[in-house]
Amino acid sequence: MLRLTGELHQKIGREVIELEANALSALAEMIGEDFSAVVGEILGCQQRVIVSGIGKSGHIARKVAATLAATGTPANFVHAGEAAHGDAGMVMPGDLLLVFSNSGDTAELQPLCHYARRIGCRLVGVSRNPDSLLMRMADLGLQLPDVPEACSVSLAPTTSATMMLALGDALAVAVMRSRGLSGHDIRALHPGGEIGHRLRSVADVMHAGDRLPLVAADTPMTSVLMTMTEKRLGMTGVVDGEQRLVGIITDGDLRRRAPDLMRCTAADIMTPDPTTIPRGALIDEALAMMRAHLITVRFVVDEDAPLAPLGAVQIFDIAAPPQPIG
């Protein structure tokens, strides 16, 4: 076994990444009308996009199917080898078949492609070889740049797999944007995990009702302290006689006025006109606002009633939750 030094390992690593980066640049330059045509084909598909491949291309195809599904396009992965032994029944008339193959001449792909064409499915091929059987059978084709693989003998699928992955992402995002999917649409597709957490609105996590600390402007500070201690949000809102939010008192305000605190009322201590956040704002938006203004808590209001406090949200409520181990 050839023993390489750590320095040479690092050199090889950089060379591989640079080679694949150059391949992606070449791929970007090849994006043209054929890409637009495939995006249109996916948008016009009335059923599902069936994504398939063999070997490393099959692994990429499975990921592309998952990305399409996660961005609003019904999609499934079908293993081309298993399709020849019954899984072809997963493909239905009206589906669109998207097949990844570096050479385009892999024998295991042919039964699935022939079956799909026989039942009326449109076929999109992705291959480095424009003269391959796959590309000749396809209704539409996307050609990959003819660049070397990153392995030392230019055989193991490396660069080609990277390009397929990027091309799949490009198709999925182009289709998603064409459909005009919003953050709320994506949230519906990601109800769990960090994405689901980030795409919730502040109304989902805010402290409201009896948990919301509010005092009148003329409230003595002894009572204000009791309210802040009871509600445990590190602050209290100050409202006028019509229950409109006119100020906020935080732990920092208490420390700054400590010497004469007990001789004051809420109106004496409060910071007037506190910043608020609309109840429909996403957690990511609220987190960015808090970090930009270096604050840890905000009152939540309705867009139609910006002075009426509905709740309060702390930065601890909206920072990404810890993920379970195992």
Side-chain angles (χ1 to χ4, degrees), residues 50-178:
I50 303 298
V51 193
S52 189
I54 284 289
K56 303 300 182 293
S57 298
H59 295 308
I60 297 299
R62 186 185 295 274
K63 190 273 179 187
V64 171
T67 300
L68 286 167
T71 51
T73 297
N76 290 97
F77 169 76
V78 172
H79 190 285
E82 296 295 339
H85 299 279
D87 281 5
M90 297 179 181
V91 185
M92 304 294 292
D95 287 342
L96 172 66
L97 180 60
L98 173 60
V99 177
F100 289 84
S101 173
N102 187 36
S103 71
D105 288 320
T106 307
E108 294 95 329
L109 296 173
Q110 296 179 28
L112 175 61
C113 293
H114 284 294
Y115 172 78
R117 295 302 300 270
R118 190 165 63 249
I119 65 173
C121 294
R122 298 274 287 175
L123 172 60
V124 175
V126 178
S127 175
R128 173 182 49 82
N129 183 4
D131 297 320
S132 63
L133 179 59
L134 171 62
M135 298 295 264
R136 293 199 304 270
M137 289 183 63
D139 296 291
L140 294 169
L142 293 174
Q143 183 183 348
L144 300 173
D146 189 7
V147 295
E149 299 287 5
C151 76
S152 57
V153 293
S154 195
L155 289 176
T158 47
T159 306
S160 59
T162 299
M163 291 190 294
M164 289 179 188
L165 184 64
L167 186 59
D169 287 344
L171 287 170
V173 173
V175 171
M176 180 185 74
R177 292 187 183 178
S178 296

Side-chain angles (χ1 to χ4, degrees), residues 247-323:
I248 186 173
I249 299 174
T250 66
D251 287 337
D253 296 320
L254 300 181
R255 288 191 292 272
R256 282 187 290 271
R257 295 294 299 272
D260 60 344
L261 189 64
M262 293 308 167
R263 296 192 296 271
C264 299
T265 64
D268 299 324
I269 302 297
M270 73 179 189
T271 299
D273 302 320
T275 56
T276 60
I277 188 166
R279 65 178 301 167
L282 298 181
I283 281 178
D284 257 7
E285 298 169 341
L287 192 57
M289 292 177 187
M290 288 186 178
R291 286 173 173 167
H293 293 90
L294 301 178
I295 57 177
T296 60
V297 64
R298 272 197 174 191
F299 278 98
V300 180
V301 298
D302 194 294
E303 290 86 342
D304 296 328
L307 295 180
L310 299 175
V313 61
Q314 290 181 302
I315 197 168
F316 314 108
D317 301 321
I318 59 179
Q323 298 299 310

